[in-house]
Amino acid sequence: MPLRVGFVGSGMMAEALAGGFDASGVAAFSDMCCVDRNQPRLDLFASWGVTPCATATELAKKCDVIFIAVKPYGVAAVLEEMRPALSKDTLVVSIAAGVTIATMEAAAGEGVPIIRVMPNTPCLVKCVAAAMSAGRYCDQTHADTVSTLFDAVGKIHQVKESLLNAVTGVSGSGPAYVFQVIEAMADGGVLAGLPRGVAQDLAARTVMGAAKMVIETGKHPGALKDGVTSPGGTTIAAVAELERCGVRSAFMRAVKAAADRGEELSKQ
Ligand SMILES: NC(=O)c1ccc[n+]([C@@H]2O[C@H](COP(=O)([O-])OP(=O)(O)OC[C@H]3O[C@@H](n4cnc5c(N)ncnc54)[C@H](OP(=O)(O)O)[C@@H]3O)[C@@H](O)[C@H]2O)c1
């Protein structure tokens, strides 16, 4: 029996996930349902073969896994609306930032398995870095289902819910830091005489390639850095300049600042 996946809220993140699941073969468009208050979004999903539903409740009756992909302020209301159609057999997966599992369990009702996921925008290019926490009505099968889906469009880790703000600090907000790095490296290339387009492409591909080396070799990034810094060479000259500017300390502080801000926001 194929997995039936539903999206409540069919915006950018739902589009990225649905497209990635279908392309990787873990769930087909023809086994997906969607709901959204914008007809153009429903039409777009329908053009791929996804079944549009009139209400979230109708969708809940048709799906095994229901993604809640509306903005955070709308999550509790959507779950309360679906409550009569939810049961221990419908897995709810929320990607909304900052909405706690306890809030969602209260809205969805007793026994409904809920998993909270913190994805990031590279989801849009099928390269998500995500983490999840499972609610008290979940078992290993529920976590495995979510792992299978997200590992098809990147990678997901399982963490305690209290660590999801730290995840926000590293990977949720992280793409913005890396965009700044790419922009700054490209600026440096332009300063050294390169055309803007060439400098930006070189910078972006360097970040992508270096990231792939860390993931694919499993080596410590410090060891990889040591491997490309020859005595008295160009790279160690640049590394020394980055150390003088406190780059590593700046990144650590940035990650902690985002995690702390997530903590503050979740208390409001
Ligand atoms: N985008 C990111 O970088 C990112 C990263 C991590 C997590 N997230 C989380 O992902 C979730 C979705 O983000 P997104 O960027 O995909 O948002 P989005 O593009 O605005 O998509 C949400 C869609 O759901 C619709 N909607 C809202 N309430 C609804 C309701 N009650 N019934 C039916 N449809 C409804 C919205 O319609 P309207 O436009 O009319 O409101 C919109 O079309 C958010 O909770 C966000 O926190 C996003």
Side-chain angles (χ1 to χ4, degrees):
M1 183 83 170
L3 195 65
R4 298 168 305 169
V5 178
F7 294 92
V8 177
S10 305
M12 291 311 299
M13 292 299 279
E15 177 178 340
L17 290 172
F21 297 159
D22 179 81
S24 60
V26 284
F29 283 141
S30 54
D31 296 315
M32 295 183 200
C33 294
C34 66
V35 77
D36 200 284
R37 54 191 179 199
N38 296 295
Q39 191 59 41
R41 297 303 302 172
L42 292 177
D43 293 344
L44 178 68
F45 276 62
S47 72
W48 305 324
V50 176
T51 305
C53 296
T55 63
T57 310
E58 180 193 327
L59 178 144
K61 288 178 187 159
K62 290 182 174 167
C63 294
D64 309 305
V65 182
I66 302 163
F67 279 85
I68 307 297
V70 299
K71 294 291 187 198
Y73 62 81
V75 171
V78 152
L79 288 172
E80 277 161 16
E81 180 195 332
M82 287 194 295
R83 190 177 175 125
L86 297 175
S87 72
K88 65 175 181 44
D89 299 320
T90 43
L91 172 58
V92 172
V93 182
S94 167
I95 60 166
V99 184
T100 64
I101 293 172
T103 299
M104 292 188 280
E105 285 177 345
E110 202 176 327
V112 177
I114 296 181
I115 291 188
R116 180 179 161 195
V117 172
M118 171 47 67
N120 67 0
T121 43
C123 185
L124 301 171
V125 291
K126 322 279 183 280
C127 199
V128 74
M132 66 168 155
S133 293
R136 61 187 156 144
Y137 304 118
C138 293
D139 58 26
Q140 193 55 44
T141 318
H142 298 118
D144 289 347
T145 299
V146 174
S147 289
T148 302
L149 288 168
F150 275 88
D151 286 348
V153 289
K155 174 77 184 174
I156 194 162
H157 297 267
Q158 195 163 357
V159 300
K160 287 193 295 191
E161 188 180 21
S162 59
L163 290 176
L164 283 179
N165 287 321
V167 171
T168 301
V170 177
S171 53
S173 301
Y177 327 151
V178 179
F179 296 144
Q180 281 188 296
V181 167
I182 292 170
E183 183 190 17
M185 285 176 66
D187 281 346
V190 172
L191 186 63
L194 285 173
R196 168 68 58 186
V198 173
Q200 183 172 308
D201 189 68
L202 289 172
R205 288 179 190 281
T206 300
V207 169
M208 183 170 65
K212 282 187 87 160
M213 282 181 74
V214 172
I215 292 167
E216 289 177 13
T217 65
K219 287 187 179 169
H220 189 286
L224 290 168
K225 181 263 296 168
D226 288 355
V228 291
T229 43
S230 41
T234 58
T235 307
I236 195 67
V239 168
E241 193 60 22
L242 291 171
E243 290 293 348
R244 190 183 67 76
C245 297
V247 164
R248 287 192 305 144
S249 165
F251 273 99
M252 286 172 69
R253 292 171 66 102
V255 169
K256 185 68 168 53
D260 290 349
R261 183 67 184 136
E263 189 75 36
E264 274 172 28
L265 289 174
S266 63
K267 286 181 185 149
Q268 282 176 10

